[in-house]
Amino acid sequence: MTTTQRLIQFLSTLTPYQQLKFFKLCNQISGSVNIPVTSKEIYYLANFIRMQTGGVRNMIVFSKKVCYGFEQAETRLHYKTGHTLLEDFLNGKRIYVKSY
């Protein structure tokens, strides 16, 4: 399963409020996004996000940022607890991105 497929599966399990919180979290994660724009999966993800949020247009750059944020959330560990960012998000903990 690719990252985009796992991300779509993950987003489909969240409530609309949790999706918006996750999008905000992904937007806070900084780093260089090295996902090609021409990837068909990015277009599919952009369309999925548009349908979930009720948007009007596909946001390719935002979709790339969410995909990068999901990859980072799976791997970044908290400096004290050792939990991943994604685990803490799913457990409903207050998250400070700089601590991961």
Side-chain angles (χ1 to χ4, degrees), residues 2-4 19 30 70 72 78 82:
T2 63
T3 303
T4 310
Q19 285 179 355
S30 60
F70 181 69
Q72 293 298 311
H78 192 271

Side-chain angles (χ1 to χ4, degrees), residues 64-92:
K64 286 174 50 176
K65 182 79 173 172
V66 170
C67 191
Y68 175 77
F70 181 69
E71 287 177 346
Q72 293 298 311
E74 287 182 322
T75 58
R76 286 191 183 184
L77 299 175
H78 192 271
Y79 76 98
K80 276 188 182 176
T81 62
H83 297 143
T84 63
L85 184 61
L86 194 59
E87 287 174 350
D88 286 346
F89 174 78
L90 291 174
N91 291 331

Side-chain angles (χ1 to χ4, degrees), residues 25 43 46 48 87:
L25 176 73
Y43 285 109
F48 178 81
E87 287 174 350

Side-chain angles (χ1 to χ4, degrees), residues 2-100:
T2 63
T3 303
T4 310
Q5 292 170 342
R6 285 185 288 125
L7 175 58
I8 290 172
Q9 185 179 13
F10 172 72
L11 289 175
S12 63
T13 62
L14 299 178
T15 64
Y17 178 71
Q18 287 175 324
Q19 285 179 355
L20 293 176
K21 282 182 70 175
F22 185 72
F23 293 153
K24 183 179 177 183
L25 176 73
C26 289
N27 208 23
Q28 293 175 356
I29 296 175
S30 60
S32 60
V33 181
N34 296 328
I35 302 168
V37 177
T38 58
S39 174
K40 288 183 181 181
E41 292 180 346
I42 292 297
Y43 285 109
Y44 184 70
L45 176 63
N47 190 36
F48 178 81
I49 290 173
R50 181 181 61 86
M51 297 301 279
Q52 291 290 318
T53 59
V56 178
R57 62 183 106 154
N58 287 345
M59 298 177 284
I60 304 297
V61 176
F62 179 70
S63 299
K64 286 174 50 176
K65 182 79 173 172
V66 170
C67 191
Y68 175 77
F70 181 69
E71 287 177 346
Q72 293 298 311
E74 287 182 322
T75 58
R76 286 191 183 184
L77 299 175
H78 192 271
Y79 76 98
K80 276 188 182 176
T81 62
H83 297 143
T84 63
L85 184 61
L86 194 59
E87 287 174 350
D88 286 346
F89 174 78
L90 291 174
N91 291 331
K93 293 186 179 178
R94 188 170 189 156
I95 294 175
Y96 299 99
V97 176
K98 300 287 183 186
S99 299
Y100 291 85

